mmCIF file with all atom_site columns, all heavy atoms in Angstrom:
data_model
loop_
_atom_site.group_PDB
_atom_site.id
_atom_site.type_symbol
_atom_site.label_atom_id
_atom_site.label_alt_id
_atom_site.label_comp_id
_atom_site.label_asym_id
_atom_site.label_entity_id
_atom_site.label_seq_id
_atom_site.pdbx_PDB_ins_code
_atom_site.Cartn_x
_atom_site.Cartn_y
_atom_site.Cartn_z
_atom_site.occupancy
_atom_site.B_iso_or_equiv
_atom_site.pdbx_formal_charge
_atom_site.auth_seq_id
_atom_site.auth_comp_id
_atom_site.auth_asym_id
_atom_site.auth_atom_id
_atom_site.pdbx_PDB_model_num
ATOM 1  N N   . LYS A 1 326 ? -2.489 4.101  5.945  1.00 0.00 ? 740 LYS A N   1
ATOM 2  C CA  . LYS A 1 326 ? -1.341 4.945  6.344  1.00 0.00 ? 740 LYS A CA  1
ATOM 3  C C   . LYS A 1 326 ? -1.695 5.828  7.533  1.00 0.00 ? 740 LYS A C   1
ATOM 4  O O   . LYS A 1 326 ? -0.885 6.038  8.429  1.00 0.00 ? 740 LYS A O   1
ATOM 5  C CB  . LYS A 1 326 ? -0.911 5.828  5.163  1.00 0.00 ? 740 LYS A CB  1
ATOM 6  C CG  . LYS A 1 326 ? 0.317  5.286  4.480  1.00 0.00 ? 740 LYS A CG  1
ATOM 7  C CD  . LYS A 1 326 ? 0.857  6.248  3.440  1.00 0.00 ? 740 LYS A CD  1
ATOM 8  C CE  . LYS A 1 326 ? 1.303  5.441  2.232  1.00 0.00 ? 740 LYS A CE  1
ATOM 9  N NZ  . LYS A 1 326 ? 1.007  6.106  0.964  1.00 0.00 ? 740 LYS A NZ  1
ATOM 10 N N   . SER A 1 327 ? -2.939 6.320  7.534  1.00 0.00 ? 741 SER A N   1
ATOM 11 C CA  . SER A 1 327 ? -3.316 7.256  8.599  1.00 0.00 ? 741 SER A CA  1
ATOM 12 C C   . SER A 1 327 ? -3.396 6.576  9.969  1.00 0.00 ? 741 SER A C   1
ATOM 13 O O   . SER A 1 327 ? -3.230 7.236  10.986 1.00 0.00 ? 741 SER A O   1
ATOM 14 C CB  . SER A 1 327 ? -4.642 7.952  8.262  1.00 0.00 ? 741 SER A CB  1
ATOM 15 O OG  . SER A 1 327 ? -5.701 7.035  8.396  1.00 0.00 ? 741 SER A OG  1
ATOM 16 N N   . ILE A 1 328 ? -3.632 5.259  10.000 1.00 0.00 ? 742 ILE A N   1
ATOM 17 C CA  . ILE A 1 328 ? -3.717 4.628  11.335 1.00 0.00 ? 742 ILE A CA  1
ATOM 18 C C   . ILE A 1 328 ? -2.413 3.946  11.760 1.00 0.00 ? 742 ILE A C   1
ATOM 19 O O   . ILE A 1 328 ? -2.277 3.542  12.911 1.00 0.00 ? 742 ILE A O   1
ATOM 20 C CB  . ILE A 1 328 ? -4.887 3.607  11.440 1.00 0.00 ? 742 ILE A CB  1
ATOM 21 C CG1 . ILE A 1 328 ? -4.648 2.375  10.556 1.00 0.00 ? 742 ILE A CG1 1
ATOM 22 C CG2 . ILE A 1 328 ? -6.232 4.261  11.131 1.00 0.00 ? 742 ILE A CG2 1
ATOM 23 C CD1 . ILE A 1 328 ? -5.454 1.162  11.005 1.00 0.00 ? 742 ILE A CD1 1
ATOM 24 N N   . LEU A 1 329 ? -1.445 3.806  10.846 1.00 0.00 ? 743 LEU A N   1
ATOM 25 C CA  . LEU A 1 329 ? -0.220 3.061  11.197 1.00 0.00 ? 743 LEU A CA  1
ATOM 26 C C   . LEU A 1 329 ? 0.463  3.535  12.484 1.00 0.00 ? 743 LEU A C   1
ATOM 27 O O   . LEU A 1 329 ? 0.938  2.707  13.267 1.00 0.00 ? 743 LEU A O   1
ATOM 28 C CB  . LEU A 1 329 ? 0.780  3.059  10.031 1.00 0.00 ? 743 LEU A CB  1
ATOM 29 C CG  . LEU A 1 329 ? 0.453  2.087  8.891  1.00 0.00 ? 743 LEU A CG  1
ATOM 30 C CD1 . LEU A 1 329 ? 1.518  2.166  7.800  1.00 0.00 ? 743 LEU A CD1 1
ATOM 31 C CD2 . LEU A 1 329 ? 0.318  0.647  9.391  1.00 0.00 ? 743 LEU A CD2 1
ATOM 32 N N   . PRO A 1 330 ? 0.500  4.853  12.741 1.00 0.00 ? 744 PRO A N   1
ATOM 33 C CA  . PRO A 1 330 ? 1.198  5.279  13.967 1.00 0.00 ? 744 PRO A CA  1
ATOM 34 C C   . PRO A 1 330 ? 0.598  4.728  15.260 1.00 0.00 ? 744 PRO A C   1
ATOM 35 O O   . PRO A 1 330 ? 1.289  4.654  16.271 1.00 0.00 ? 744 PRO A O   1
ATOM 36 C CB  . PRO A 1 330 ? 1.081  6.816  13.926 1.00 0.00 ? 744 PRO A CB  1
ATOM 37 C CG  . PRO A 1 330 ? 0.834  7.144  12.491 1.00 0.00 ? 744 PRO A CG  1
ATOM 38 C CD  . PRO A 1 330 ? 0.073  6.001  11.921 1.00 0.00 ? 744 PRO A CD  1
ATOM 39 N N   . VAL A 1 331 ? -0.702 4.345  15.224 1.00 0.00 ? 745 VAL A N   1
ATOM 40 C CA  . VAL A 1 331 ? -1.293 3.841  16.478 1.00 0.00 ? 745 VAL A CA  1
ATOM 41 C C   . VAL A 1 331 ? -1.501 2.321  16.457 1.00 0.00 ? 745 VAL A C   1
ATOM 42 O O   . VAL A 1 331 ? -2.138 1.760  17.338 1.00 0.00 ? 745 VAL A O   1
ATOM 43 C CB  . VAL A 1 331 ? -2.648 4.545  16.793 1.00 0.00 ? 745 VAL A CB  1
ATOM 44 C CG1 . VAL A 1 331 ? -2.442 6.015  17.079 1.00 0.00 ? 745 VAL A CG1 1
ATOM 45 C CG2 . VAL A 1 331 ? -3.664 4.345  15.674 1.00 0.00 ? 745 VAL A CG2 1
ATOM 46 N N   . CYS A 1 332 ? -0.979 1.647  15.427 1.00 0.00 ? 746 CYS A N   1
ATOM 47 C CA  . CYS A 1 332 ? -1.176 0.200  15.331 1.00 0.00 ? 746 CYS A CA  1
ATOM 48 C C   . CYS A 1 332 ? -0.205 -0.555 16.244 1.00 0.00 ? 746 CYS A C   1
ATOM 49 O O   . CYS A 1 332 ? 0.846  -0.051 16.587 1.00 0.00 ? 746 CYS A O   1
ATOM 50 C CB  . CYS A 1 332 ? -0.957 -0.260 13.888 1.00 0.00 ? 746 CYS A CB  1
ATOM 51 S SG  . CYS A 1 332 ? -2.281 0.296  12.798 1.00 0.00 ? 746 CYS A SG  1
ATOM 52 N N   . MET A 1 333 ? -0.581 -1.790 16.583 1.00 0.00 ? 747 MET A N   1
ATOM 53 C CA  . MET A 1 333 ? 0.288  -2.652 17.401 1.00 0.00 ? 747 MET A CA  1
ATOM 54 C C   . MET A 1 333 ? 1.611  -2.872 16.681 1.00 0.00 ? 747 MET A C   1
ATOM 55 O O   . MET A 1 333 ? 1.652  -3.015 15.461 1.00 0.00 ? 747 MET A O   1
ATOM 56 C CB  . MET A 1 333 ? -0.363 -4.028 17.587 1.00 0.00 ? 747 MET A CB  1
ATOM 57 C CG  . MET A 1 333 ? -1.443 -4.100 18.619 1.00 0.00 ? 747 MET A CG  1
ATOM 58 S SD  . MET A 1 333 ? -0.876 -3.753 20.278 1.00 0.00 ? 747 MET A SD  1
ATOM 59 C CE  . MET A 1 333 ? 0.214  -5.129 20.609 1.00 0.00 ? 747 MET A CE  1
#
Side-chain angles (χ1 to χ4, degrees):
K740 258 188 220 142
S741 72
I742 67 158
L743 283 180
V745 294
C746 290
M747 281 297 294

